[in-house]
């Protein structure tokens, strides 16, 4: 068996208890979803190649089983510089990416390592492919004889993992199997223009934030306190409807400015940080906002905090900009669509959450429910923080 590797309307209750009970149940269910995680795995002895198409370039994620690679090539399979250099040369010798007229695409090895994600260890390579001048960036011939030259029974699955400009029909599209008797496959993604690029970037942004439970929980925890006034170290009063809407608008706008800033810097200036501290910083932001929802930590400065932590959240979004294309125009179009997709989901969350927050603030049990929701959010944040710091 071959496995392919790879994220009712509330009615006002005058007593408040019915509404609060539904809110608590809904959030508990939401938090339960956040705890479900899955890890990428490569558990089969075949190789796998996943292509991500972007305007002007193709990113390739290549996995070759370590044992088969060592057997076929006779090379050392460790991470010493000389071993990796020999492995790199062996792979590039037995592969090529060709335009229809036979000219070769340029291949840059961004990363190479022998590593174990799940199952047996693999040779893992990340490549950036660019077409020759005048050639289409959406039509190529993939030639592959790695391992298969020495071990004819070996094969490699070629897949399209993403296509920002043209979209994909599913999570991954299987192009076919590369074998000793069929070492070439043609990948033709057809034509895609700026309109398709914008539409797919919009969908990508909406999908990313909708599945980004930590991003949404950070925002929702800040919104919990939006209808309230602080008196010392506790929440002791209510804002007017106009003040509440103003606070909500400032928080969402500041968060948008924050994550948009780092996303633009990543796309055009190459700003990057290691994934672990970024993900830990996001978990910390959820924890801080949860504490603030229970007891005022930065009353009146929610928008400032949303903007500052938005910079950190934007660094997580920035991992996707590698597929936003090479040209300034394509990157600008993709970033605009991506951001608007994020904002569409955030706006939907705010529209749904606002009446619930107003009911919660005016309910007799509102304070207890708010603290309970903050506690649940804090527990989820602590779990994420421990996991991302390698403590769990």
């Amino acid at each position: 068996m071959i496995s392919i590797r790879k994220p009712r309307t509330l009615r006002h209750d005058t007593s408040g208890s019915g509404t609060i009970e539904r809110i608590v149940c809904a959030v508990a269910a939401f938090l339960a979803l956040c705890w479900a995680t899955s890890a990428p795995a490569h558990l089969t002895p075949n190789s796998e190649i996943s292509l991500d198409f972007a305007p002007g370039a193709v990113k390739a994620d290549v996995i070759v089983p370590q044992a088969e690679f060592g057997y076929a090539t006779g090379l050392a399979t460790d991470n010493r510089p000389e071993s990796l250099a020999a492995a790199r040369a062996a792979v590039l010798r037995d592969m090529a990416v060709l335009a229809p007229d036979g000219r070769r695409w340029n291949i840059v090895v961004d990363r190479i390592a022998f590593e174990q994600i799940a199952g047996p260890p693999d040779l893992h390579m990340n490549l950036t492919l660019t077409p020759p001048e005048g050639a289409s960036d959406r039509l190529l011939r993939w030639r592959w004889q790695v391992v298969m030259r020495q071990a004819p029974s070996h094969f490699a699955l070629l897949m399209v993992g993403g296509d920002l400009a043209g979209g994909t029909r599913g999570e991954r599209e299987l192009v076919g199997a590369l074998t000793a008797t069929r070492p070439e496959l043609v990948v033709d993604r057809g034509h895609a223009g700026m309109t398709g690029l914008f539409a797919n970037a919009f969908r990508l942004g909406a999908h990313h934030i909708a599945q980004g439970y930590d991003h949404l929980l950070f925002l929702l925890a800040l919104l919990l306190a939006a209808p309230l006034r602080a008196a010392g170290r506790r929440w002791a009063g209510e804002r007017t409807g106009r003040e509440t809407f103003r606070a909500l608008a400032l928080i969402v706008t500041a968060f948008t400015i924050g994550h948009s800033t780092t996303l633009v810097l990543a796309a055009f200036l190459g700003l990057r940080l290691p994934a672990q501290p970024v993900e830990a910083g996001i978990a910390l932001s959820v924890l801080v906002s949860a504490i603030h929802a229970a007891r005022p930590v930065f009353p009146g400065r929610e928008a400032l905090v949303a903007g500052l932590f938005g910079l950190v959240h934007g660094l997580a979004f920035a991992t996707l900009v590698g597929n936003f294309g090479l040209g300034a125009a394509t990157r600008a179009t993709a970033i605009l669509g991506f951001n608007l997709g994020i904002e569409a989901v955030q706006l939907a969350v705010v529209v749904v959450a606002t009446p619930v927050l107003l009911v919660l603030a005016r309910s007799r049990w509102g304070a207890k429910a708010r603290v309970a929701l903050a506690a649940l959010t804090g527990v989820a944040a602590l779990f994420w923080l421990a996991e991302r710091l390698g403590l769990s």
Side-chain angles (χ1 to χ4, degrees):
M1 179 178 178
I2 298 173
S3 66
I4 300 178
R5 189 177 63 100
K6 299 237 200 256
R8 72 188 179 186
T9 304
L10 292 178
R11 182 177 297 170
H12 179 66
D13 186 337
T14 55
S15 67
S17 59
T19 300
I20 301 307
E21 183 177 323
R22 284 191 289 270
I23 295 170
V24 172
C25 290
V27 173
F30 178 75
L31 289 172
L33 287 174
C34 300
W35 285 58
T37 59
S38 60
H42 180 245
L43 302 174
T44 55
N46 58 279
S47 298
E48 294 179 4
I49 306 158
S50 180
L51 306 180
D52 285 335
F53 282 78
V58 176
K59 297 284 187 177
D61 186 69
V62 177
I63 293 178
V64 181
Q66 179 175 312
E68 280 78 0
F69 182 81
Y71 168 78
T73 64
L75 297 174
T77 54
D78 55 61
N79 284 310
R80 291 177 300 165
E82 58 270 26
S83 300
L84 294 177
R88 176 184 182 279
V91 171
L92 294 181
R93 183 182 62 244
D94 284 342
M95 70 166 290
V97 183
L98 307 173
D101 59 7
R103 288 182 296 163
R104 287 177 176 262
W105 283 46
N106 184 54
I107 303 174
V108 174
V109 179
D110 299 319
R111 180 177 178 274
I112 180 171
F114 289 100
E115 58 191 358
Q116 183 173 14
I117 299 174
D122 301 304
L123 171 62
H124 192 187
M125 298 177 68
N126 298 122
L127 313 176
T128 296
L129 318 171
T130 50
E133 185 176 357
S136 170
D137 58 4
R138 301 182 59 76
L139 175 62
L140 58 87
R141 276 191 295 136
W142 187 276
R143 180 182 297 166
W144 184 261
Q145 292 178 295
V146 178
V147 178
M148 298 186 308
R149 187 187 296 277
Q150 299 85 2
S153 62
H154 190 80
F155 66 95
L157 295 176
L158 182 63
M159 297 166 283
V160 174
D163 182 354
L164 188 64
T168 52
R169 291 187 292 274
E171 199 169 299
R172 288 194 174 197
E173 293 180 22
L174 178 62
V175 177
L178 294 152
T179 66
T181 56
R182 190 191 184 192
E184 285 191 9
L185 287 172
V186 174
V187 184
D188 186 354
R189 301 301 298 171
H191 175 74
M194 286 293 190
T195 302
L197 174 66
F198 177 87
N200 285 303
F202 181 93
R203 284 193 288 269
L204 178 64
H207 178 77
H208 190 72
I209 192 68
Q211 289 196 331
Y213 305 123
D214 44 5
H215 301 297
L216 291 178
L217 273 184
F218 168 71
L219 192 59
L220 286 171
L222 283 183
L223 298 183
L224 269 177
L228 305 174
R229 294 182 186 276
R233 298 178 61 84
R234 63 191 184 90
W235 299 110
E238 298 175 14
R239 288 173 170 164
T240 65
R242 177 176 292 183
E243 290 173 331
T244 298
F245 285 115
R246 181 175 180 274
L248 292 171
L250 286 175
I251 290 169
V252 174
T253 301
F255 184 63
T256 298
I257 292 173
H259 71 66
S260 298
T261 298
T262 45
L263 185 60
V264 169
L265 291 175
F268 291 101
L269 300 180
L271 177 66
R272 292 288 191 280
L273 283 180
Q276 186 180 33
V278 171
E279 294 298 327
I282 291 172
L284 179 63
S285 74
V286 178
L287 179 60
V288 169
S289 63
I291 295 172
H292 178 69
R295 289 288 184 272
V297 177
F298 39 84
R301 296 182 176 86
E302 290 86 359
L304 176 61
V305 171
L308 292 175
F309 275 123
L311 295 171
V312 180
H313 286 246
L315 289 171
F317 299 151
T319 58
L320 300 171
V321 302
N323 290 332
F324 280 6
L326 297 182
T330 58
R331 285 188 174 238
T333 301
I335 288 173
L336 178 61
F338 185 79
N339 263 327
L340 289 178
I342 291 174
E343 301 322 310
V345 174
Q346 286 183 173
L347 182 60
V349 169
V350 171
V351 168
V352 172
T354 298
V356 176
L357 293 172
L358 293 173
V359 170
L360 185 65
R362 290 160 174 74
S363 168
R364 183 160 56 103
W365 301 101
K368 292 181 179 179
R370 174 174 43 79
V371 171
L373 294 176
L376 287 171
T377 301
V379 169
L382 285 171
F383 173 81
W384 285 327
L385 189 59
E387 182 182 54
R388 293 168 187 183
L389 291 176
L391 303 177
S392 61

